[in-house]
Amino acid sequence: MQKELIMVIDDESHILELISYNLEKEGYRVIACETGEEGLKLIEKYQPDLIILDLMLPGIDGLEVCKKIRNTESISGIPIIMLTAKSEEIDKVVGLEMGADDYITKPFGVRELIARVRALLRRIIREKEESGLIKIGELTIDTESYKVYKNNKEIKLTSKEYELLKLLAINRGKTLTRDHLLDKIWGYDYYGETRTIDVHIRHLRKKIEDEDREPKYIHTVRGIGYSLYYKGDDEYA
């Protein structure tokens, strides 16, 4: 199941329930609320992966919420899908100018909304990877600064541990043999044993896994090597 956290803000309870139910059915985690004020507090607290935001909200409307998100450094990069009953072109333009990433008009089809959510999440992941960030589950690998974070906290790795994690992450979902890992990280001139890989994998697991005996990231493929993916991710599980 996918584990992305999605924030839904809409003052129509039946719409809120409809969206939440279908997102959860698709495997997403959902936080829902009916006002912009509450939404902003929850967004800063939980840092969702994507926000579905209704334009017409009581109190602080959707445009103002969108503006506040884009002007708050800690949450400014979160993608936003604007949701509204209005269909005039001017409303769409204003929403996008305020910083919304996509726009869908009520009434909408559930399949279309889910498709927009998936597409936007894929695009954001691709853009982060191209910018030097590789994000897998709670891990973020910054290939420009050579740093690794888990839940925004830096994990101290040795240079070999970092290169090993990065190589596995770049080949996410693929099984890499011990010989391949040894050649790529230590070089063809290295006359070590493949046991070197097992030792480094064990150290890596202790640093990045919640429980190294039940890994969520680095998985052993018996008799072959290792594969890195986030356990529970539909694409790789």
Side-chain angles (χ1 to χ4, degrees):
M1 294 175 65
Q2 298 196 42
K3 299 297 182 180
E4 288 91 347
L5 178 62
I6 298 177
M7 178 87 217
V8 185
I9 309 174
D10 196 304
D11 65 324
E12 296 182 73
S13 58
H14 66 287
I15 295 292
L16 205 59
E17 291 174 6
L18 175 69
I19 295 175
S20 298
Y21 170 78
N22 282 282
L23 287 173
E24 289 172 347
K25 187 178 177 182
E26 293 295 319
Y28 297 104
R29 294 174 295 141
V30 179
I31 300 175
C33 69
E34 298 183 357
T35 68
E37 291 88 346
E38 183 183 4
L40 286 169
K41 292 178 182 178
L42 292 174
I43 291 165
E44 289 206 61
K45 180 178 180 180
Y46 293 104
Q47 303 277 318
D49 296 290
L50 184 145
I51 300 165
I52 298 176
L53 175 63
D54 185 31
L55 179 62
M56 303 300 291
L57 293 171
I60 302 177
D61 66 20
L63 291 177
E64 186 62 24
V65 171
C66 186
K67 183 178 178 181
K68 287 181 179 292
I69 291 170
R70 292 296 178 247
N71 289 332
T72 303
E73 184 176 355
S74 61
I75 57 176
S76 62
I78 300 175
I80 299 171
I81 295 178
M82 193 73 80
L83 187 66
T84 181
K86 291 186 175 182
S87 60
E88 291 85 351
E89 185 69 18
I90 185 64
D91 297 310
K92 178 178 180 179
V93 171
V94 171
L96 295 174
E97 286 182 346
M98 283 290 186
D101 297 272
D102 201 355
Y103 189 100
I104 188 167
T105 304
K106 298 178 184 177
F108 57 86
V110 170
R111 288 185 179 180
E112 180 186 2
L113 179 62
I114 297 298
R116 297 281 190 96
V117 167
R118 286 175 175 165
L120 185 51
L121 286 171
R122 282 197 300 267
R123 193 190 89 197
I124 296 300
I125 290 172
R126 184 171 63 252
E127 288 176 352
K128 285 183 177 180
E129 290 180 349
E130 290 173 353
S131 70
L133 294 177
I134 303 173
K135 185 172 176 61
I136 301 176
E138 298 165 340
L139 290 179
T140 300
I141 303 170
D142 189 331
T143 61
E144 294 183 355
S145 67
Y146 300 95
K147 292 182 178 180
V148 176
Y149 302 87
K150 183 176 182 181
N151 290 325
N152 297 320
K153 293 182 179 179
E154 185 178 354
I155 299 173
K156 297 294 184 181
L157 301 180
T158 65
S159 61
K160 294 300 186 188
E161 288 169 352
Y162 170 81
E163 291 298 332
L164 184 56
L165 180 64
K166 177 185 172 184
L167 180 59
L168 286 165
I170 290 173
N171 291 279
R172 182 180 182 182
K174 297 179 181 179
T175 298
L176 302 184
T177 67
R178 289 175 173 83
D179 285 333
H180 178 81
L181 292 169
L182 194 64
D183 289 337
K184 290 294 183 181
I185 304 302
W186 278 265
Y188 289 98
D189 295 329
Y190 180 77
Y191 294 101
E193 299 179 356
T194 54
R195 181 173 170 274
T196 300
I197 298 298
D198 298 331
V199 172
H200 279 76
I201 290 292
R202 186 164 69 248
H203 291 164
L204 256 179
R205 280 176 171 160
K206 288 182 178 180
K207 293 181 178 182
I208 70 172
E209 302 283 3
D210 294 332
E211 174 52 64
D212 61 305
R213 293 178 181 272
E214 296 181 7
K216 292 183 179 180
Y217 296 97
I218 301 177
H219 306 275
T220 302
V221 182
R222 191 176 298 277
I224 301 176
Y226 297 96
S227 178
L228 187 148
Y229 59 86
Y230 184 67
K231 189 175 182 181
D233 191 329
D234 278 338
E235 188 176 353
Y236 301 99

